Amino acid sequence: MLRLRYSTRALVALVLLLSLHLVLFAGAASAKSRAKRGKKHLAQQINAILGQPELARAHWGLDVVEPETGKVIYSLNPDQLFLPASNAKLFTTAAELALAGPDYRFHTTVETTGRIDSKGRLLGDLVIVGRGDPNISGRVMPYQLKTERTPPHTQILEEMADQVAKSGLKIVDGDLIGDDTFYAAERYGEGWSEEDLQWIDGAPVSALSFNDNVVFIDIHPGDLPGDKALVTKETEGNYYQLDNRIVTTAAGIVRKIGIHRDIGSSKIVLWGSLPLGDPGVKEPLTIDDPAEYTAQLFRQMLERRGIIVTGKTRARHGEIAQFFGQLPAPAPTPAGTKDPQCCMAAAPTPAPASGTPAAKPLVLAEHVSLPLIEDVRVTNKTSENLHAEMALRLVGKLGGMEPSFEGGGAALKQFLLQAGLTEDEFSLLDGSGLSRRDLVTPAAVVQLLTYASQQPWGTAYAESLPLSGVDGSLSGRFLNTPASGLVHAKTGTLSHVNALSGYAQTQNGRHFVFSIFCNNHNLPGSKVLAAIDQIVTLLVTEGDTVRK
C-alpha cells in the first residue's frame, strides 16, 4: 500500500507538471499569435494611410526596427534609394561626434607673424583666423527650444576687438586679413540649385563664418502711400549696396516684394509694394565671401577703438591641394583643456629659404567656442545647412582627408562603413542634404541610428534631434497626440521630398528606430507631413501589440 501511495503521488505530480507545460506552451503560442495579429493589424493601418489615392502616387520607403533585438516592426521598400533632404544631417553629425567627440571646441584667433614695436606699431599684417566655428554670431547659445538671436550680431567680434585694443596695438602697418584656409575654398556643394544660393539655406561655406554668412535685411512701409519702403541692414558695413524700389501702398493692399542678387554681385535689387500697417519683413541674404566680410567688419571695430590699419582689407583662401597629407588630425579635446588648434596657423607655413623654423604667430585675441555638442543641437534641431557643411569639412580634417566636400565625403564614407552600412546603401555629396544628388536607403538610416545608440555619444546625439511637440522643427508637430514628447527625429524637406527619421518609444516604453521617406510627390507638404505623423503616432500607440 505504501508503495502504491508513492506511485500515485508521483503520477499526480507528473500530471500537474505536464499541465503546467501545456499552459505555458499555450500561453506562448497565444502571445505569438497575438503578436502576429498585432503586426498584421498595424501593417494594415499603415498600408491604408499610404494607399490613399493622392499619397499612393508618391514613392514611399519605411523601415521600423526594434534596436535591441533587430526585429522588424514594419518595412516598405527599405532597400531602395531615396533623396534624403535634411536627413543627410543625421550622417554628418554622427560622424562629427564620432571623430571629434562632444567636447571638441573651435578656436578663432587674431594673430600676426609681424613685430610690434615699443610704440604699438605692428610691422606686418594682422590676421583674423577662422577654424570652423559656426556660431560667431548673435545666436543665443546653448540652444533652448527655438532659435534666438540677440543684437548686435557682432558681439563676439567686438569682444575680440577689445582684446586687441588691450594688447596695446595702435597702428597696423600692413593689411587686415580674414583667413579661412583651415577649410578648403569650396563654398557651394554639388547638386545645389542656383536659386538656393541667394538665401540662407544655400549660404557659402567658410572656416571664417559670421552670423550664418548672411546679412539680415529689414523692410518696413514708409509713412505715407507713395513713399519708398524703409530698408535697413542689421549689421554695419558696405559689403552690399541696396537698390530699393519698394513702394508704400494704402492699407489693405496685398504685400508683394521681390529681392534679387546676381551671384558674385554686390548689388541687391528690391522691388514691389508694402501696405501701410504691415509688420514688415526680415530677409537673410547670403554673403559671397564670408572671410572678406568678417575682415571688413573687424577693421571698423578696430578703428572705433583707435587702432589704425594702413593697408588693405582682404581675404586669404586656401587651395585644396595644399591640405592633402599635410595636416594631422587633432585629437578630440576634453572640456576645460587646451585645444591643439589654439594659437596655431590654420595651414602649414612654409619654412624660410634658409631652413630656419617659421616664426610662431603672436596671438592678440582668441575666442573659444562652447563644446561641439551644443552646435550639433543647433544643426539638428533647426536644420542649419551651413553648420552641417562646416561639420563635413571637420569630418574630413579629423578623418585624415582634405577639409573639403570630397575629403569630408571620403571620411564620412569610412565612418559609415565602420557603422555597418554597405556602399550600395548611400551616396552623399554634401553634409546638409541640400544636394539633389544625395541618395540613401531607409535601412541605411536605421542602421546608422542603431549604431549611434550604442556609442558613448549616442544619448547626446539622440537628444540633439527635435523632440515631438516640444522644440526645433518638430515643435509644431504631434501636438495633442499620444506621440508628443516620445519622438526624437530629424525632419527633411525639399521640393517633392519629405522625410522623418529617428528614435521613438511606445506608450509603454518600448523603443523603436524608424526612417520614413516620401519622394516624387506633387502634394502640399502639409498633406505628406500629416500622413507621416499618422504613421509615427500609430507606431507609438500600436507598437506594443507586435511584441511576443
Side-chain angles (χ1 to χ4, degrees), residues 349-528:
T349 304
S354 62
T356 58
K360 183 178 179 180
L362 172 65
V363 176
L364 303 181
E366 179 180 22
H367 172 73
V368 182
S369 73
L370 292 176
L372 176 67
I373 188 59
E374 298 300 336
D375 182 61
V376 171
R377 284 167 55 82
V378 169
T379 304
N380 284 332
K381 288 190 180 290
T382 69
S383 207
E384 273 287 352
N385 286 353
L386 172 65
H387 295 219
E389 297 303 341
M390 295 176 76
L392 183 66
R393 306 306 196 286
L394 184 63
V395 167
K397 180 177 281 288
L398 300 186
M401 305 290 183
E402 297 176 2
S404 62
F405 274 109
E406 185 176 357
L412 176 60
K413 180 178 179 179
Q414 286 185 351
F415 163 74
L416 295 177
L417 295 178
Q418 177 186 329
L421 283 70
T422 59
E423 290 191 37
D424 60 351
E425 291 183 303
F426 64 92
S427 177
L428 296 168
L429 295 181
D430 67 359
S432 65
L434 186 60
S435 174
R436 287 192 167 272
R437 295 176 59 189
D438 292 337
L439 291 170
V440 300
T441 68
V445 178
V446 166
Q447 174 59 33
L448 168 73
L449 293 171
T450 302
Y451 173 83
S453 69
Q454 301 163 354
Q455 305 309 308
W457 41 268
T459 299
Y461 172 70
E463 292 176 350
S464 78
L465 305 180
L467 181 59
S468 54
V470 176
D471 65 12
S473 55
L474 288 184
S475 61
R477 293 171 64 177
F478 299 100
L479 294 171
N480 303 315
T481 74
S484 181
L486 295 180
V487 181
H488 274 106
K490 182 72 197 73
T491 54
T493 305
L494 286 172
S495 298
H496 314 299
V497 175
N498 290 99
L500 187 69
S501 302
Y503 304 94
Q505 62 183 60
T506 66
Q507 291 174 302
N508 291 331
R510 181 188 183 191
H511 294 276
F512 61 91
V513 180
F514 70 95
S515 180
I516 304 175
F517 289 138
C518 181
N519 281 191
N520 303 333
H521 70 78
N522 196 27
L523 294 168
S526 59
K527 287 187 176 294
V528 178

Side-chain angles (χ1 to χ4, degrees), residues 172-444:
V172 177
D173 195 6
D175 294 342
L176 181 60
I177 301 172
D179 185 315
D180 68 357
T181 57
F182 197 69
Y183 293 157
E186 291 179 326
R187 298 179 191 169
Y188 306 107
E190 290 186 45
W192 288 15
S193 172
E194 183 175 337
E195 65 186 18
D196 291 324
L197 306 186
Q198 175 175 299
W199 311 106
I200 191 169
D201 285 346
V205 185
S206 171
L208 180 58
S209 288
F210 167 71
N211 206 35
D212 292 333
N213 293 342
V214 295
V215 174
F216 285 95
I217 305 295
D218 290 323
I219 308 170
H220 295 277
D223 293 333
L224 298 169
D227 290 350
K228 276 193 173 183
L230 303 176
V231 180
T232 58
K233 293 177 288 187
E234 287 193 359
T235 307
E236 63 184 327
N238 297 315
Y239 189 84
Y240 283 139
Q241 291 78 50
L242 303 179
D243 182 357
N244 175 19
R245 305 177 189 177
I246 302 175
V247 177
T248 305
T249 60
I253 296 178
V254 177
R255 171 206 296 171
K256 186 175 182 180
I257 293 176
I259 303 175
H260 180 74
R261 178 182 65 82
D262 289 328
I263 298 174
S265 171
S266 62
K267 183 179 180 180
I268 299 173
V269 180
L270 307 96
W271 70 93
S273 59
L274 197 62
L276 286 173
D278 191 283
V281 181
K282 184 191 297 290
E283 289 289 355
L285 303 179
T286 55
I287 298 164
D288 268 341
D289 192 334
E292 181 182 349
Y293 180 63
T294 304
Q296 288 182 7
L297 291 177
F298 199 65
R299 179 173 186 149
Q300 293 172 349
M301 296 173 197
L302 294 179
E303 290 174 345
R304 285 199 300 269
R305 289 160 176 79
I307 300 172
I308 300 171
V309 179
T310 62
K312 297 180 293 185
T313 303
R314 57 187 175 90
R316 178 189 294 160
H317 305 301
E319 300 294 337
I320 299 176
Q322 79 182 78
F323 290 98
F324 190 74
Q326 295 187 21
L327 287 178
T333 304
T337 63
K338 198 69 172 178
D339 194 297
Q341 294 183 82
C342 174
C343 312
M344 293 167 54
T349 304
S354 62
T356 58
K360 183 178 179 180
L362 172 65
V363 176
L364 303 181
E366 179 180 22
H367 172 73
V368 182
S369 73
L370 292 176
L372 176 67
I373 188 59
E374 298 300 336
D375 182 61
V376 171
R377 284 167 55 82
V378 169
T379 304
N380 284 332
K381 288 190 180 290
T382 69
S383 207
E384 273 287 352
N385 286 353
L386 172 65
H387 295 219
E389 297 303 341
M390 295 176 76
L392 183 66
R393 306 306 196 286
L394 184 63
V395 167
K397 180 177 281 288
L398 300 186
M401 305 290 183
E402 297 176 2
S404 62
F405 274 109
E406 185 176 357
L412 176 60
K413 180 178 179 179
Q414 286 185 351
F415 163 74
L416 295 177
L417 295 178
Q418 177 186 329
L421 283 70
T422 59
E423 290 191 37
D424 60 351
E425 291 183 303
F426 64 92
S427 177
L428 296 168
L429 295 181
D430 67 359
S432 65
L434 186 60
S435 174
R436 287 192 167 272
R437 295 176 59 189
D438 292 337
L439 291 170
V440 300
T441 68

